[in-house]
Amino acid sequence: MPDLRADQAHGARIYDYILGGKDHFRIDRDAGDAALAAWPALRVHMPANREFMHRTARYLAVEKGIRQFLDIGSGIPTSPNLHEVVQDVAPASRVVYVDDGPIVLVHAQALTEGTPEGRTTFIDADMRRPEEILNAPELLDVLDLTEPVRDEDIAMYGGVARKP
Ligand SMILES: C[S@@+](CC[C@H](N)C(=O)[O-])C[C@H]1O[C@@H](n2cnc3c(N)ncnc32)[C@H](O)[C@@H]1O
């Protein structure tokens, strides 16, 4: 079990708290309440952010034929997760999740249970070191980086999508 650092508020758990999840500590709720006091509309913005991710991912899968997704800063699993959205419309979709939150690692299993046709995996990494993400064996096992990356494929906040 990783050290969850329950003495220190963490972005993934604060987000979970504001979204109405259950994976947070007192210190995260306190930080979340302080954020909400300063910016009450966060209660609306954060679920809207989540819904935007769903719409964008579905659009890329359905309208653009994207089948490979790299979700950096995936957060604590919140259904539907990215792989559930894209594999619902394109079961062979491949998804790599990346986060550096220890609590996210605890839940990584939920992010790797995709369709039999598709692939999903989780990498514990820091987005400030992108080369570690792009060279991770787990990523190279799931995503085909020999495919060209086109500008219009780079779409989601925190995510990179590649043509199938
Ligand atoms: C607001 S949540 C976003 C969750 C999800 N992408 C969504 O749209 O619903 C931000 C996530 O980024 C992660 N994060 C923050 N800094 C990071 C870093 N340097 N490397 C990897 N993940 C990071 C946090 O742990 C958190 O889970």
Side-chain angles (χ1 to χ4, degrees), residues 139-162:
L139 181 145
L140 297 172
D141 188 42
V142 171
L143 300 184
D144 179 1
L145 296 186
T146 65
E147 294 290 338
V149 181
R150 294 166 42 153
D151 287 349
E152 68 267 26
D153 294 345
I154 298 174
M156 295 168 36
Y157 122 29
V160 177
R162 288 167 190 273

Side-chain angles (χ1 to χ4, degrees), residues 17-106:
Y17 169 60
I18 295 176
L19 283 179
K22 54 182 175 41
D23 294 296
H24 42 76
F25 298 116
R26 161 64 58 196
I27 198 158
D28 306 304
R29 294 191 287 278
D30 289 346
D33 288 340
L36 286 165
W39 186 5
L42 273 179
R43 278 205 197 284
V44 176
H45 293 179
M46 287 198 166
N49 169 67
R50 191 83 197 152
E51 285 166 20
F52 173 76
M53 184 275 280
H54 295 159
R55 287 198 307 277
T56 309
R58 194 174 296 109
Y59 171 81
L60 289 171
V62 173
E63 303 292 334
K64 298 295 180 186
I66 304 293
R67 296 292 181 267
Q68 301 194 100
F69 297 85
L70 174 55
D71 182 348
I72 302 176
S74 49
I76 293 169
T78 304
S79 191
N81 295 292
L82 173 61
H83 74 280
E84 295 166 310
V85 171
V86 296
Q87 290 182 348
D88 183 46
V89 294
S93 297
R94 294 168 170 234
V95 178
V96 174
Y97 292 103
V98 179
D99 206 291
D100 73 342
I103 189 113
V104 185
L105 184 59
V106 170

Side-chain angles (χ1 to χ4, degrees), residues 98-129:
V98 179
D99 206 291
D100 73 342
I103 189 113
V104 185
L105 184 59
V106 170
H107 292 283
Q109 178 72 21
L111 294 173
T112 57
E113 291 171 352
T115 56
E117 307 95 312
R119 301 277 301 279
T120 69
T121 194
F122 176 84
I123 303 173
D124 178 15
D126 189 327
M127 68 172 87
R128 291 170 295 186
R129 294 193 293 277

